[in-house]
Amino acid sequence: MTADDIEDRVYKWFGKHYPGNPDAECHRTVAPELRAILFTSNVEGEISNGGLPQLLWNTFHHWRAVLDDAEMGYQLFGATQHCEAIREFRALFQRYEQECRHYMEHSSCSEWCEYGNNVMKSQHKKLFFSDADYEKRQAWITANEQRLLQLVAA
């Protein structure tokens, strides 16, 4: 079985147990290995699609848990630069959280992202546009195939 096949099983498991979007409860109840896969992928997808502002907007009510789980995942995968990036993103989100809330209440995601991309600068953002994170996650998944398959079988 390939790492992509296993990753697909993880996503299907989440879809079955947490239809729609994983909420804050899954950060407390789901095995760390599964959260690592889901939330590193989530962070990468949001950043590559709309940047840091979109990540904050789309995870607003539980962004701390998302970043905590992503950082834990990158640690598991040996992606130390990504861990540093997550720490920087956390500081940016703390700084701009109230402004994002204001945009949520009075404006739109596109307006927030336009503003946010001008103020939420990060030298680490480019890491999330490379294959390095994907390759490290895939290698870790391959090395932990048995454990991951046990977790999604439950």
Side-chain angles (χ1 to χ4, degrees):
M1 182 170 290
T2 69
D4 285 333
D5 294 333
I6 297 166
E7 194 167 5
D8 187 52
R9 284 190 182 194
V10 170
Y11 298 138
K12 286 179 181 172
W13 184 93
F14 268 103
K16 178 181 175 186
H17 291 84
Y18 295 91
N21 290 320
D23 60 13
E25 182 180 325
C26 83
H27 297 283
R28 295 184 297 273
T29 59
V30 173
E33 299 93 335
L34 299 181
R35 294 191 330 255
I37 292 169
L38 181 72
F39 292 107
T40 55
S41 179
N42 181 258
V43 165
E44 293 158 20
E46 294 290 356
I47 290 173
S48 67
N49 188 40
L52 295 175
Q54 181 174 305
L55 174 59
L56 177 56
W57 180 282
N58 287 340
T59 63
F60 188 80
H61 298 288
H62 62 289
W63 66 263
R64 287 171 180 82
V66 169
L67 292 185
D68 288 348
D69 285 343
E71 183 177 5
M72 177 264 305
Y74 290 124
Q75 287 172 345
L76 285 174
F77 308 156
T80 55
Q81 288 182 310
H82 291 76
C83 290
E84 292 171 21
I86 294 295
R87 290 181 203 115
E88 181 185 32
F89 300 165
R90 189 177 289 112
L92 286 169
F93 286 11
Q94 287 171 343
R95 181 175 177 190
Y96 291 104
E97 180 177 28
Q98 292 310 312
E99 288 180 63
C100 181
R101 179 184 304 277
H102 177 80
Y103 275 86
M104 291 180 111
E105 293 170 354
H106 302 287
S107 192
S108 68
C109 180
S110 62
E111 289 181 16
W112 160 247
C113 287
E114 184 178 336
Y115 167 77
N117 277 317
N118 286 321
V119 296
M120 296 176 76
K121 304 289 185 191
S122 169
Q123 65 181 5
H124 294 294
K125 191 172 119 177
K126 65 182 180 246
L127 282 173
F128 296 86
F129 290 94
S130 74
D131 289 336
D133 47 0
Y134 173 79
E135 291 167 1
K136 287 186 180 205
R137 182 172 52 248
Q138 296 295 292
W140 183 85
I141 288 170
T142 299
N144 291 277
E145 176 179 359
Q146 285 300 117
R147 171 74 175 143
L148 293 169
L149 291 176
Q150 288 172 342
L151 290 169
V152 297

